[in-house]
């Protein structure tokens, strides 16, 4: 059983930056893909960014490419999301989610993830 706890959200003006963190416990961190999702009010949950277990490969939603950077520290069991040049449309609840390595499916398919954090709110004002 993996527990995930996000932090780092807040309110910023457009153009600002935030760094989200997600600390995992209760499992072997290297045995899971741990990625970032977000959900804005009235919208479906969407994949934001993904990273391989070793950290060498990443994927991003088109809407955040060039502005967001995902990273993970396996020694600290922590996933990060550096968000720069934030826009009002980035306003959402941000979640980290984990799935075991044996679970197939696209990284952005939220239905494939076993474990979810409670989320951290990001609000960007214009």
């Amino acid at each position: 059983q993996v527990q995930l706890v996000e932090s780092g959200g807040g309110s910023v003006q457009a153009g600002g930056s935030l760094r989200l963190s997600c600390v995992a416990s209760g499992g072997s961190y290297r045995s899971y893909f741990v990625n970032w999702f977000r959900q804005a009010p009235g919208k479906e949950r969407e994949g934001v960014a993904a990273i391989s277990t070793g950290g060498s490969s990443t994927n991003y939603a088109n809407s955040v490419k060039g502005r967001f950077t995902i990273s993970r520290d396996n020694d600290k069991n922590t996933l990060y999301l550096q968000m720069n040049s934030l826009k009002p449309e980035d306003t959402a609840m941000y979640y980290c989610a984990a799935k075991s390595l044996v679970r197939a499916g696209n990284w952005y398919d939220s239905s494939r993830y076993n474990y979810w954090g409670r989320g951290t709110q990001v609000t960007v004002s214009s």
Side-chain angles (χ1 to χ4, degrees), residues 105-122:
N106 295 311
W107 69 266
Y108 48 81
D109 184 354
S110 61
S111 70
R112 306 305 300 169
Y113 288 77
N114 312 71
Y115 307 102
W116 292 84
R118 292 188 175 183
T120 185
Q121 178 68 38
V122 172

Side-chain angles (χ1 to χ4, degrees), residues 4-35:
L4 303 169
V5 179
E6 304 95 335
S7 62
S11 296
V12 297
Q13 290 190 329
S17 298
L18 285 173
R19 188 193 195 204
L20 307 185
S21 299
C22 168
V23 179
S25 61
S28 177
Y29 190 62
R30 288 179 172 83
S31 299
Y32 293 88
F33 292 113
V34 188
N35 297 319

Side-chain angles (χ1 to χ4, degrees), residues 2 5 11-13 24 32-33 39 52 54 57 60 67 76 91 95 97 100 110:
V2 176
V5 179
S11 296
V12 297
Q13 290 190 329
Y32 293 88
F33 292 113
Q39 187 167 20
S52 60
S57 178
Y60 297 93
R67 300 187 298 121
K76 296 181 179 180
T91 295
Y95 301 90
S100 58
S110 61

Side-chain angles (χ1 to χ4, degrees), residues 8-122:
S11 296
V12 297
Q13 290 190 329
S17 298
L18 285 173
R19 188 193 195 204
L20 307 185
S21 299
C22 168
V23 179
S25 61
S28 177
Y29 190 62
R30 288 179 172 83
S31 299
Y32 293 88
F33 292 113
V34 188
N35 297 319
W36 288 103
F37 288 80
R38 68 184 180 186
Q39 187 167 20
K43 294 188 177 181
E44 292 186 357
R45 190 169 295 185
E46 64 171 344
V48 175
I51 189 167
S52 60
T53 54
S56 61
S57 178
T58 57
N59 285 287
Y60 297 93
N62 288 334
S63 58
V64 307
K65 278 182 183 177
R67 300 187 298 121
F68 290 11
T69 302
I70 188 173
S71 61
R72 63 186 276 169
D73 186 333
N74 287 338
D75 292 333
K76 296 181 179 180
N77 289 3
T78 302
L79 179 74
Y80 301 100
L81 186 68
Q82 178 66 44
M83 305 187 295
N84 298 328
S85 303
L86 282 161
K87 304 176 180 180
E89 51 264 43
D90 294 318
T91 295
M93 185 73 79
Y94 283 71
Y95 301 90
C96 61
K99 64 175 180 177
S100 58
L101 300 184
V102 298
R103 291 181 70 91
N106 295 311
W107 69 266
Y108 48 81
D109 184 354
S110 61
S111 70
R112 306 305 300 169
Y113 288 77
N114 312 71
Y115 307 102
W116 292 84
R118 292 188 175 183
T120 185
Q121 178 68 38
V122 172

